[in-house]
């Protein structure tokens, strides 16, 4: 589910793709199409459905052979186990969720606060070698995290950022700032610079003009961009597993992955934790779904 | 006080030289029109004066003080943008109020000022609408109101009337002239409409390809165009230009015609010239000693007058005539020329020849 700049940029205008219905030539959808779509839907949705089912099954139904699709006993025990440890204290998983919230939230805010003004500057001002600078900024996203994680690990060890939330926040912000600049530059380009010109003649300073007249028009774009950044930070696994180790610092992805691998695996707990983990992203994406589409098709593509 | 002076403004956008040494002196309280065709650099000139454009070279002085590096807000100018630049989220009222809000005026003062402006510009009923709910002409009037609502050092107006219908434009022309007199303020007014320039201006600067061609009163620009291009750009129907040269006391046309040489002409014999003749200085109805033989080419009735196209040799002359004039194409005609009001240009440089005795 990780969203990279590459995907956002290549998404292109929606109109480029002919709807499948037309490619098959017929009016409406052909039988073949319906069948294909149904098969695809089952393949795509089955793991998610199975995860949800498993999270509310009693353990003996989880391991039942043949598998029980419908006639199982519903229980919320696994969800309780996600948050509460056996002694009634807070569970390690719930701490990791809290860490995820802090790390993803703060890194997104940081990336937005740094990236939006930078995008505005790149859009509005004559910057020397602007195209080269923008390409350089984008190029920092070409490399997958695994490539840089070892050097980052060594550097972090030197400066004492290993196994700290601050370390994760900084690295996620560093990954999200270029993305934010690229997305937001597209949105800023869409807002005529003359609003700011007019505001400056009205008597405002350049910053006031930006703050009062341009920023409000950018809010939908900022929301869409921030959600992308949030989802990236929330889902990130490679840095998290390399750079953190203690339960108090760990974010949810490595923590959930850590549940698998002992002699016995509590699949119910894994499924419940996964559901809890997926929920915020789904809710967020749903809330800003209109802007997500606008963000992908409009924002980053134009120059 | 409100003098605006620009000296040697230069600005290029990539390969395009938008301003190529523009120098203007706008006296305090004058209605100064910058006239030029599309792409001449009019908007760029205004933006440079307003401090919105970083110049390659040149300086801007306001009230005699160098303001070249000043922020737009510090220049105390108001501008009407060619694209209106109304704030899309704000109502017309809030748009007009914006310059006063920026100056932290009291809301009662703002309300009074907005009301005054809106009645002046006939937009009282539009105040609660947003720009998207206004027509082009209405937006233009709101933009005018936003500029006029305070008393800046000078007003910069970028084609503020182009989107109005003809009736409203004529009305607003008179209205703006009246506002200008009432305020006694300095106006720098950009237009590509020569009628606006001639009817409203105290001073006109004619701009072409980033260079000032001529500065003068409307009468000077019309009666004594500095070069062939200005003569052709100002005036409607456009001036007719005939290739010729001087020979003793005659002007001999490339097409074989000949006219008495104007008394004021200083041209030396044989030098290639262009004779500029305005439609109203030609006649197919009057008789005179200076005339050109031609044939009727076409008639353009314009209601209050008719423009007669006459073919002389290979060229078409535009001649102003009474609306009652008739004729059939091909019919021979004599075009009488008022040589005292004719213009002579050097065919090579395009510059007007100096006139003997003024
Ligand atoms: N931001 C810009 N980037 C690139 N070229 C520009 C820019 N602004 C103006 N130009 C170019 O500079 C020249 C002068 O433009 P300007 O807008 O000043 O013309 P104008 O006289 O106002 O024309 P119009 O009557 O069409 O408004 C034009 O050739 C234009 O293409
Ligand atoms: Mg313009």
């Amino acid at each position: 589910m990780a969203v990279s700049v590459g995907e956002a940029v290549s998404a292109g205008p929606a109109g480029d793709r002919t709807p499948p219905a037309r490619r098959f030539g017929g009016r409406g959808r052909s039988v073949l199409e319906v069948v294909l779509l149904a098969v695809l839907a089952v393949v795509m949705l089955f793991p998610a459905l199975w995860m949800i089912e498993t999270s509310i099954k009693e353990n003996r139904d989880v391991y039942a052979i043949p598998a029980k699709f419908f006639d199982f006993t519903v229980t919320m025990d696994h969800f309780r186990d996600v948050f509460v440890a056996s002694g009634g204290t807070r569970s390690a998983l719930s701490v990791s969720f809290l860490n995820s919230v802090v790390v993803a939230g703060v890194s997104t805010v940081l990336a937005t606060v740094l990236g939006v003004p930078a995008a505005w500057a790149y859009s509005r001002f004559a910057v020397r070698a602007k195209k080269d600078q923008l390409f350089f900024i984008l190029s920092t996203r070409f490399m997958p995290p695994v490539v840089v994680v070892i050097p980052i690990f060594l550097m972090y060890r030197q400066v004492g950022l290993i196994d700290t939330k601050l370390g994760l926040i900084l690295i996620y912000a560093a990954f999200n700032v270029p993305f934010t600049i690229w997305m937001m530059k597209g949105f800023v380009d869409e807002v005529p610079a003359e609003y700011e010109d007019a505001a400056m003649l009205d008597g405002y300073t350049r910053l006031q003009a930006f703050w009062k007249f341009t920023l409000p028009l950018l809010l939908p774009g900022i929301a869409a961009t921030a959600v992308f950044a949030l989802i990236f930070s929330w889902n990130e696994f490679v840095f998290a597993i390399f750079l953190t180790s203690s339960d108090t610092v760990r974010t949810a992805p490595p923590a959930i992955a850590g549940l698998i691998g002992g002699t016995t695996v509590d699949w119910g707990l894994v499924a419940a934790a996964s559901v809890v983990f997926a929920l915020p992203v789904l809710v967020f994406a749903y809330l800003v779904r209109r802007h997500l589409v606008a963000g992908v098709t409009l924002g980053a593509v134009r120059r | 006080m409100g003098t605006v002076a620009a000296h040697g403004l230069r600005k290029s956008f990539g390969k395009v030289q938008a301003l190529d040494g523009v120098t203007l002196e706008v006296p305090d309280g004058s209605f100064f029109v910058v006239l030029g065709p599309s792409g001449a650099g009019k908007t760029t000139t205004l933006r440079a004066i307003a401090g919105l454009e970083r110049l390659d070279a040149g300086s801007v002085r306001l009230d005699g003080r160098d303001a070249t590096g000043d922020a737009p807000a510090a220049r105390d100018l108001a501008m009407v943008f060619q694209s209106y630049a109304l704030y899309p989220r704000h109502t017309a009222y809030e748009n007009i109020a914006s310059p006063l809000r920026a100056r932290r005026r009291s809301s009662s003062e703002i309300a009074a000022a907005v009301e005054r402006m809106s009645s002046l510009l006939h937009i009282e009923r539009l105040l609660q609408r947003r720009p998207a709910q206004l027509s082009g002409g209405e937006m233009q009037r709101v933009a005018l109101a936003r500029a006029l609502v305070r008393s800046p050092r000078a007003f910069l107006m970028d084609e503020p009337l182009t989107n109005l219908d003809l009736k409203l434009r004529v009305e607003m022309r008179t209205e703006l002239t009246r506002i200008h007199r009432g305020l006694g303020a300095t106006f720098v007014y950009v237009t590509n409409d020569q009628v606006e320039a001639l009817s409203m201006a105290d001073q006109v600067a004619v701009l072409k390809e980033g260079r000032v061609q001529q500065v003068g009163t409307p009468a000077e620009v019309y009666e004594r165009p500095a070069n062939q291009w200005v003569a052709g750009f100002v005036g409607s129907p456009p001036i007719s230009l005939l290739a010729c040269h001087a020979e003793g006391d005659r002007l001999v046309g490339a097409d074989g015609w000949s006219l008495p040489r104007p008394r004021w002409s200083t041209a030396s014999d044989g030098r290639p010239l262009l004779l500029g003749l305005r439609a109203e200085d030609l006649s197919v109805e009057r008789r005179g000693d200076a005339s050109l033989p031609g044939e009727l080419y076409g008639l353009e009735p314009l209601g209050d007058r008719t423009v007669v196209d006459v073919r002389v040799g290979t060229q078409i002359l535009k001649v102003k005539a009474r609306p009652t004039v008739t004729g059939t194409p091909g019919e021979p005609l004599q075009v009488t020329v008022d040589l005292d009001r004719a213009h002579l240009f050097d065919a090579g440089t395009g510059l007007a020849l100096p006139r003997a005795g003024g």
Side-chain angles (χ1 to χ4, degrees), chain B residues 11-267:
Chain B
K11 172 78 191 176
S12 62
F13 296 104
K15 287 195 177 63
V16 182
Q17 190 72 38
L19 299 183
D20 195 2
V22 169
T23 297
L24 301 170
E25 289 276 349
V26 182
D28 182 33
S30 73
F31 200 115
F32 191 96
V33 172
V34 179
L35 174 68
S38 189
K42 307 183 294 295
T43 298
T44 311
T45 305
L46 273 200
R47 290 176 57 86
I49 292 171
L52 298 173
E53 213 73 71
R54 184 173 293 211
L55 290 164
D56 299 338
S59 63
V60 174
R61 297 178 77 81
L62 300 172
D63 288 340
R65 206 182 54 78
D66 184 37
T68 313
D70 288 2
R75 298 186 185 211
D76 190 20
L77 301 166
M79 181 158 169
V80 180
F81 288 80
Q82 191 168 3
S83 58
Y84 326 123
L86 296 178
Y87 310 127
R89 292 285 190 84
H90 294 53
T91 60
Y93 183 99
E94 281 307 316
N95 267 282
I96 300 170
S98 171
L100 301 177
R101 291 225 192 280
R103 288 172 170 72
R104 303 187 179 288
R105 297 290 159 74
S106 73
S107 50
S108 58
E109 193 185 336
I110 291 174
V114 173
E115 192 187 335
R116 194 161 38 80
M117 276 345 295
S118 53
S119 71
L120 190 66
L121 293 157
H122 314 301
I123 47 175
E124 300 98 326
R125 288 180 306 104
L126 311 174
L127 287 179
Q128 293 317 314
R129 298 208 202 152
R130 294 184 183 208
Q133 302 163 318
L134 298 172
S135 75
E138 289 165 347
M139 284 198 271
Q140 214 154 25
R141 279 180 286 161
V142 173
L144 262 173
R146 180 173 66 183
L148 291 168
V149 75
R150 64 187 195 91
S151 319
R153 181 177 273 151
F155 293 97
L156 310 177
M157 303 197 170
D158 198 351
E159 313 202 14
L161 304 185
T162 34
N163 279 308
L164 305 184
D165 61 58
L166 190 62
K167 181 170 164 290
L168 199 54
R169 196 180 327 162
V170 173
E171 196 181 307
M172 289 296 303
R173 232 187 260 157
T174 336
E175 200 60 49
L176 269 184
T177 319
R178 215 177 53 79
I179 292 171
H180 169 248
R181 287 219 197 85
L183 295 174
T186 310
F187 278 46
V188 184
Y189 185 103
V190 159
T191 181
N192 57 28
D193 179 350
Q194 40 147 331
V195 180
E196 259 172 38
L198 298 180
S199 63
M200 300 169 85
D202 298 322
Q203 292 260 298
V204 183
V206 187
L207 200 62
K208 178 205 172 198
E209 289 167 12
R211 291 205 192 126
V212 176
Q213 305 291 310
Q214 184 172 6
V215 184
T217 62
E220 280 165 0
V221 170
Y222 189 80
E223 305 280 345
R224 295 280 179 273
N227 58 42
Q228 171 200 339
W229 187 85
V230 173
F233 186 69
V234 180
S236 171
I239 198 168
S240 306
L241 293 165
L242 301 178
C244 62
H245 62 270
E247 241 178 69
D249 61 352
R250 309 284 300 169
L251 279 180
V252 179
D255 289 325
W257 50 262
S258 116
L259 284 172
R261 175 173 170 151
R263 285 188 302 279
W264 49 265
S265 154
T266 55

Side-chain angles (χ1 to χ4, degrees), chain A residues 26 51-52 85 100 207 277:
Chain A
M51 169 181 84
I52 294 168
S100 265
L207 277 180
F277 179 73

